[in-house]
Amino acid sequence: MPQVMDADRMGRALTRIAHEILERNRGTSELALVGIRTRGVPLARRIAHSLRDINGEEVPTGALDITLYRDDLMRQPVGPQPVVRRTEVPFSIDDKRILLVDDVLYTGRTIRAALDALIDFGRPRAIQLIVLVDRGHRELPIKADYVGKNLPTSPKQSVQVRLQEIDGADEVVINDPEGV
Amino acid sequence: MLRSRHLLGIADLDAEEIQRILDTAEAMKEIAARPIKKVPTLRGRTVVNLFFEPSTRTRMSFEVAEKRLSADTLSIAVATSSVTKGETLLDTVRNLEAMAPDMIVMRHASSGAPHLLARLCRSAIINAGDGMHEHPTQALLDAFTIRAHKKRLDGLKVSIVGDLMHSRVLRSNIQLLNKMGAEVWACGPSTLMPTDLARFGVRPTTSIDEAVDQADVVMMLRIQHERMHGHFIPSTREYFSLFGLTPERLRRAKDDVIIMHPGPMNRGVEIDSEVADGPYSVILEQVSNGVAVRMAVLYLLAGQEAEAD
Amino acid sequence: MKTLLKGGRVIDPANGRDGEMDVLIENGTIARVARTLPADGAEVFELRRGWIVAPGLIDMHVHLREPGQEHKETVATGTAAAVAGGFTAVACMPNTDPINDHPGITELILRKTAQANLARVYPIGAVSLGSRGEQLAELGAQKAAGCVGFTDDGRPVATALLMRRALEYAGMLGVPIIDHCEDPSLKGDGVAHEGYRAATMGLRGIPGVAESIMVERDIALAELTGGAFHVAHMSARQSVRAVRDAKMRGGSRVTCEVAPHHFILTDESLERPTRYDTNVKMNPPLREQADRDAMLDGIADGTVDVIATDHAPHHLDEKLVEFDRAPFGIVGLETAVPLVFDRLVHAGRIGLPRMIELLSVNPARVLALPGGSLAEGRPADVTILAPDAPVSIRASALRSKSKNTPFDGWSLRGGVAATIVGGRVVYRNEQA
């Protein structure tokens, strides 16, 4: 189970992303962070924290559950219905620049669902995408604006992001399928 | 997740499943606060609302829930259907089935009618009230409302007052509340108590004062005027004097008591207007929570159906 | 034309006979019953070891549905079911369409019976015109046409006065009044036994006392008038007590019958194996365990005189509806013998002679029929029973036109090997 990112490198990647955000948006006005459940949410909070450390301003942060927007919901041959959790976007997204945050960018389908969900909350001026890891293999025309680490993988592998808040440690690991 | 592909009654759910439905409903409730109160979850799914008994509240609630989940819905009320032309329930449903609905939400005056359908047709059946038997989504929304106020269900004293014998709301609520660890009291005139009420898992009483005393929740049931005909009660006036919920009687309850009613209310028969519209009343919340709970049920059962296919 | 039944155990309680004996049938009557009889030109029917030769079984409570409801049953299909169930005779209830309150209908039924030429059919006439409880039917004419008893079955004899007059008048004619005992106001629109089960399932209840109140009324009137009163399909423990008390007091002619479902099933069947199964909806309803046990006690201690099936065929479509809209009743002719063997005889509750009394001797006595006996000179109505034959009940295989039985799929021990009516073998079970 090779580790490809440890706590230290993850921290630095997120700080770098925070700087890139400020540079590209010329400050934090009209910005808001929305993390995709589950692990996008603590990542969004950390980025908000970094932004405050850098320029002292509070960026509103929300959480988005995209379960009800998934395109595979009613197609699963077997398996229980995924758990739906609360979406909390306690601010208007109208005319905001929304920074959508997820842990891993893969096929792009989660982001597609998240975009649909976000649009239902209003009309943001722009949506930018932040991911900690981009592992390739896109199935939809989606591209991240800020990437913590580009990680070439094979589709058979799985990429796991672990976070202190949820998993008790910060790291990214690649798992090869069993028996390979 | 849910073991059955139908929701016929609380009898078929265990505590874990009830918890799951209530938790899912929490997430669904947030959708009502959005500018666009609609998610694409059940897009392409057809849900038929088949109401053999008049109902405004429950049918509206299901329709809103279905639309918020983007299902295609079709509502059939008894007056406009061919049931009145002597067609049997089975014929009606077979005809509907030719349109391949994924789910049928059904209200019927006969206890067990949804169980018959569940045995005979392919669609998933949601019981929206069958005779005097069960009304599972009402009990779920009641539990959801109680939980929102009390943050728990176990250990609460919940008193249900009214026409116990004919109430499907009572039967579903007793089972749900017992499964979740609440202490349930059932109060009403002895003529309107079901046989062996104590075996239902409740404390039966004919004293509303005893029922209300230190109650966390008081749930009032509707008394129908036709009950006078079966010699159940002498008059609605006498009923109100013995069992009506008045502000004076309510003083015995806990300070943070909540008052519930599944509707439609008979003001001045089972409940004083002052109580119904007062600060303890959560009756309108029940209505809005109904949508979230029914969305949760539709969502969870839609998944079950995918499994069965 | 001679037939010799060879090698069976003859159980003939009416004549005090029980043992290995041969039975010679000649010209449709019992010619001789003795330990060993020579074939002497007779056709020999070799019985297997353990088989029983009994006087023909009689089901005194059957709905043949003809005239008027031939989609449920006819005299022909009903008597085919009867002989397959081991019954050489049935008494048919008058709640046909129209109600059998007139000799024309009795004659029609008897004509159909002769055409079918299987079991004997004894019509029971209506007590009142249209069973409406308003005016006494012409019981004398009906008796002359062939009726052997009177009832307003499907509903009770409406008033105490009508019941009194009926008992007096039928007493004069030497026939009993059979009453479907039920207080209509207590029954209301009930669909199941009033108890915990119906209460939790939201089904309107019929209390046991709805029956026993009427049983008590009728016993009082039987005592007043001296007429013969027979309780149809008794189901409530309170009724058993009332009949037992009346018999202990003596001085009245009170008899009663119980249907197999009432001494086997309880209201638990409303829930298991299938919830709201309309094939467990009957009137009187399946009651609770205490009632079921009271039936078993009554059968064992002699309070119960007769086992009758209340065979009530209904078309599949009629039963495939909401529970409270479904008609009451189940078929019973082809399941009674295996159920009695398995649940009463093999369960050790009654012996074989008592079984024959309940199913043959006593119904013949109550209705004053020629059957119930293997005495020489009697019509050769004989049922040959196979007490150890394995029986699996399959609704689809029933000969009755209707398949509404809650016993579908049951495996039981004890069945019918052959049924002989008037010396003619009308049914032979090759599996026995």
Side-chain angles (χ1 to χ4, degrees):
Chain A
M1 203 192 285
Q3 193 190 59
V4 293
M5 194 184 252
D6 60 14
D8 194 38
R9 291 169 70 186
M10 190 185 291
R12 273 181 289 155
L14 291 173
T15 309
R16 172 174 54 74
I17 288 173
H19 282 286
E20 285 175 25
I21 290 168
L22 290 171
E23 195 175 339
R24 182 158 162 181
N25 296 289
R26 298 190 185 88
T28 56
S29 71
E30 301 305 311
L31 280 188
L33 283 152
V34 174
I36 299 174
R37 287 197 191 272
T38 307
R39 286 176 183 74
V41 177
L43 288 174
R45 295 218 179 88
R46 288 191 204 183
I47 292 167
H49 197 82
S50 295
L51 290 171
R52 195 182 57 204
D53 285 351
I54 299 165
N55 79 343
E57 283 190 42
E58 203 71 57
V59 176
T61 306
L64 195 63
D65 186 274
I66 54 102
T67 313
L68 298 171
Y69 292 82
R70 283 170 58 160
D71 59 4
D72 58 349
L73 210 51
M74 300 300 156
R75 289 172 190 275
Q76 304 180 93
V78 281
Q81 199 73 317
V83 176
V84 186
R85 279 159 305 181
R86 285 182 68 88
T87 288
E88 289 159 290
V89 183
F91 46 83
S92 165
I93 67 165
D94 285 341
D95 294 322
K96 290 247 172 41
R97 270 181 294 221
I98 300 296
L99 301 164
L100 191 59
V101 186
D102 203 3
D103 54 352
V104 179
L105 179 57
Y106 183 30
T107 62
R109 289 179 190 273
T110 301
I111 304 305
R112 195 281 308 156
L115 292 173
D116 280 355
L118 262 186
I119 299 297
D120 282 353
F121 282 85
R123 187 180 184 282
R125 177 178 303 168
I127 300 174
Q128 299 168 10
L129 178 59
I130 303 169
V131 297
L132 183 63
V133 175
D134 182 351
R135 59 170 293 193
H137 306 290
R138 214 75 75 240
E139 293 170 5
L140 296 173
I142 281 168
K143 184 173 171 294
D145 300 275
Y146 310 91
V147 178
K149 183 178 175 62
N150 282 298
L151 193 63
T153 58
S154 105
K156 289 196 178 110
Q157 292 173 312
S158 80
V159 175
Q160 262 192 310
V161 172
R162 300 212 174 104
L163 298 177
Q164 190 71 45
E165 295 91 325
I166 292 163
D167 313 292
D170 282 347
E171 61 173 353
V172 178
V173 295
I174 291 191
N175 289 317
D176 280 307
E178 272 175 63
V180 175
Chain B
M1 177 149 318
L2 301 185
R3 285 166 303 161
S4 169
R5 54 186 288 259
H6 309 288
L7 178 63
L8 300 178
I10 300 296
D12 305 327
L13 300 175
D14 61 25
E16 200 181 317
E17 291 171 307
I18 291 166
Q19 198 78 48
R20 168 61 53 79
I21 294 170
L22 298 181
D23 290 346
T24 305
E26 295 285 354
M28 297 295 183
K29 196 167 160 63
E30 173 269 326
I31 293 169
R34 299 185 188 177
I36 294 174
K37 297 172 179 54
K38 195 177 178 90
V39 291
T41 318
L42 294 185
R43 207 165 48 190
R45 298 264 155 170
T46 306
V47 183
V48 171
N49 300 306
L50 190 56
F51 278 66
F52 291 91
E53 218 185 37
S55 152
T56 312
R57 197 168 307 238
T58 304
R59 201 183 75 193
M60 262 170 33
S61 180
F62 267 108
E63 280 183 31
V64 172
E66 289 149 10
K67 288 184 188 345
R68 289 204 174 150
L69 290 172
S70 302
D72 295 319
T73 69
L74 177 66
S75 290
I76 297 167
V78 67
T80 56
S81 82
S82 39
V83 177
T84 43
K85 295 177 199 153
E87 200 176 62
T88 66
L89 171 61
L90 202 58
D91 289 329
T92 307
V93 172
R94 290 248 159 92
N95 277 303
L96 277 179
E97 273 215 308
M99 296 174 235
D102 298 285
M103 288 190 253
I104 296 176
V105 175
M106 180 184 180
R107 156 75 58 98
H108 200 289
S110 296
S111 301
H115 302 70
L116 175 68
L117 279 207
R119 276 205 303 279
L120 299 171
C121 69
R122 292 182 304 273
S123 312
I125 307 292
I126 298 177
N127 181 2
D130 65 322
M132 308 185 291
H133 179 225
E134 280 233 40
H135 192 353
T137 56
Q138 178 71 42
L140 287 162
L141 77 89
D142 289 341
F144 184 84
T145 308
I146 296 170
R147 209 176 69 159
H149 284 267
K150 307 291 177 192
K151 309 298 168 215
R152 65 190 170 108
L153 293 167
D154 61 296
L156 297 179
K157 175 175 176 179
V158 181
S159 291
I160 307 177
V161 183
D163 178 354
L164 308 171
M165 180 186 276
H166 301 96
S167 176
R168 54 191 171 218
V169 175
L170 172 92
R171 285 172 177 79
S172 287
N173 259 307
I174 289 177
Q175 296 190 67
L176 188 151
L177 292 166
N178 273 328
K179 285 174 184 186
M180 305 311 279
E183 181 192 330
V184 190
W185 289 62
C187 170
S190 45
T191 44
L192 286 171
M193 284 190 178
T195 316
D196 281 343
L197 179 58
R199 279 178 70 190
F200 282 52
V202 296
R203 308 268 302 263
T205 176
T206 53
S207 157
I208 185 162
D209 288 332
E210 193 185 5
V212 170
D213 192 56
Q214 292 304 302
D216 296 285
V217 178
V218 179
M219 202 181 279
M220 302 304 293
L221 301 174
R222 179 181 166 76
I223 279 281
Q224 287 174 332
H225 289 273
E226 62 262 29
R227 295 297 168 232
M228 263 123 43
H229 300 308
H231 314 301
F232 292 109
I233 53 167
S235 68
T236 49
R237 189 174 55 183
E238 173 152 328
Y239 181 83
F240 185 71
S241 77
L242 291 176
F243 294 97
L245 188 61
T246 58
E248 297 73 46
R249 282 183 171 142
L250 197 51
R251 280 192 208 112
R252 290 171 166 269
K254 288 212 178 121
D255 293 340
D256 61 346
V257 67
I258 56 171
I259 309 301
M260 308 176 77
H261 195 300
M265 268 185 287
N266 285 314
R267 291 164 184 268
V269 177
E270 69 257 1
I271 191 163
D272 193 297
S273 271
E274 202 178 315
V275 176
D277 305 327
Y280 304 110
S281 167
V282 298
I283 294 168
L284 291 176
E285 270 176 62
Q286 286 175 273
V287 178
S288 64
N289 289 339
V291 174
V293 165
R294 289 174 177 123
M295 287 170 78
V297 167
L298 288 161
Y299 167 72
L300 292 170
L301 287 182
Q304 294 310 100
E305 201 190 5
E307 268 183 66
D309 283 349
Chain C
M1 171 76 189
K2 291 200 286 187
T3 308
L4 182 65
L5 307 180
K6 199 158 184 55
R9 172 182 166 192
V10 170
I11 303 181
D12 179 18
N15 299 295
R17 281 195 283 232
D18 183 350
E20 304 285 326
M21 278 177 258
D22 297 345
V23 176
L24 181 69
I25 297 168
E26 207 170 341
N27 299 324
T29 55
I30 305 287
R32 281 198 70 193
V33 179
R35 191 147 296 269
T36 20
L37 290 170
D40 196 18
E43 190 188 332
V44 178
F45 190 144
E46 291 276 0
L47 304 195
R48 287 215 198 116
R49 207 180 164 70
W51 282 10
I52 289 158
V53 178
L57 308 187
I58 300 166
D59 188 346
M60 67 173 288
H61 198 126
V62 168
H63 298 270
L64 291 178
R65 304 297 188 208
E66 195 171 359
Q69 296 179 307
E70 289 84 355
H71 64 291
K72 298 178 194 238
E73 194 80 284
T74 61
V75 172
T77 58
T79 51
V83 297
F87 293 99
T88 57
V90 298
C92 65
M93 293 293 130
N95 60 341
T96 46
D97 184 14
I99 298 273
N100 182 10
D101 57 3
H102 189 272
I105 297 164
T106 300
E107 282 156 16
L108 171 94
I109 293 166
L110 292 175
R111 197 162 60 242
K112 296 277 181 182
T113 303
Q115 282 164 8
N117 199 18
L118 289 166
R120 295 179 202 277
V121 174
Y122 297 106
I124 307 286
V127 168
S128 62
L129 286 178
S131 287
R132 284 188 297 271
E134 289 159 6
Q135 190 183 342
L136 207 56
E138 291 180 350
L139 307 192
Q142 280 281 63
K143 195 201 169 198
C147 285
V148 296
F150 295 95
T151 184
D152 277 344
D153 191 53
R155 54 182 96 161
V157 175
T159 64
L161 178 65
L162 177 63
M163 185 63 180
R164 175 193 180 160
R165 297 293 183 235
L167 284 166
E168 287 167 343
Y169 201 87
M172 170 181 85
L173 301 171
V175 293
I177 299 295
I178 301 166
D179 202 9
H180 167 119
C181 291
E182 169 183 281
D183 180 283
S185 70
L186 282 175
K187 187 218 173 199
D189 48 8
V191 296
H193 171 63
E194 183 179 298
Y196 174 70
R197 196 76 51 181
T200 56
M201 295 178 73
L203 295 172
R204 288 182 300 273
I206 306 170
V209 297
E211 176 181 286
S212 64
I213 278 180
M214 204 56 108
V215 171
E216 306 239 24
R217 178 197 80 171
D218 290 351
I219 288 171
L221 293 169
E223 287 173 347
L224 175 72
T225 59
F229 157 52
H230 178 80
V231 188
H233 45 54
M234 192 169 63
S235 68
R237 57 187 187 272
Q238 298 89 339
S239 306
V240 179
R241 196 175 58 205
V243 170
R244 187 180 288 127
D245 289 352
K247 288 186 170 186
M248 300 269 267
R249 279 197 303 276
S252 63
R253 297 163 65 202
V254 176
T255 54
C256 67
E257 72 191 29
V258 173
H261 46 271
H262 285 127
F263 63 74
I264 293 171
L265 301 176
T266 65
D267 58 358
E268 219 186 295
S269 302
L270 294 168
E271 224 163 351
R272 270 179 294 271
T274 307
R275 281 186 289 186
Y276 299 99
D277 182 0
T278 53
N279 283 335
V280 299
K281 180 179 174 182
M282 55 283 273
N283 188 23
L286 296 177
R287 300 203 182 273
E288 52 202 59
Q289 202 179 324
D291 296 288
R292 200 258 320 260
D293 293 348
M295 297 305 132
L296 291 171
D297 291 345
I299 286 166
D301 71 14
T303 304
V304 172
D305 299 279
V306 170
I307 291 173
T309 67
D310 193 7
H311 178 83
H314 291 293
H315 193 272
L316 179 68
D317 289 345
E318 295 168 311
K319 279 287 197 180
L320 209 54
V321 296
E322 300 88 323
F323 192 88
D324 51 13
R325 288 183 61 182
F328 291 104
I330 62 169
V331 292
L333 282 168
E334 294 165 83
T335 51
V337 164
L339 289 169
V340 169
F341 264 127
D342 198 275
R343 297 309 163 104
L344 295 181
V345 177
H346 296 315
R349 295 182 187 281
I350 59 169
L352 283 164
R354 173 76 176 136
M355 171 180 171
I356 306 304
E357 275 175 23
L358 288 161
L359 285 166
S360 176
V361 181
N362 291 350
R365 183 170 51 83
V366 170
L367 296 176
L369 305 178
S373 162
L374 292 177
E376 283 84 349
R378 291 291 187 102
D381 291 0
V382 180
T383 302
I384 298 172
L385 299 166
D388 293 308
V391 174
S392 346
I393 294 172
R394 280 184 300 126
S396 59
L398 296 178
R399 289 170 197 228
S400 169
K401 211 168 200 177
S402 295
K403 318 293 176 193
N404 49 315
T405 174
F407 299 111
D408 188 28
W410 283 40
S411 292
L412 300 163
R413 182 156 68 101
V416 176
T419 308
I420 298 168
V421 176
R424 193 166 55 93
V425 178
V426 289
Y427 173 75
R428 199 78 219 250
N429 178 6
E430 303 303 334
Q431 267 89 57

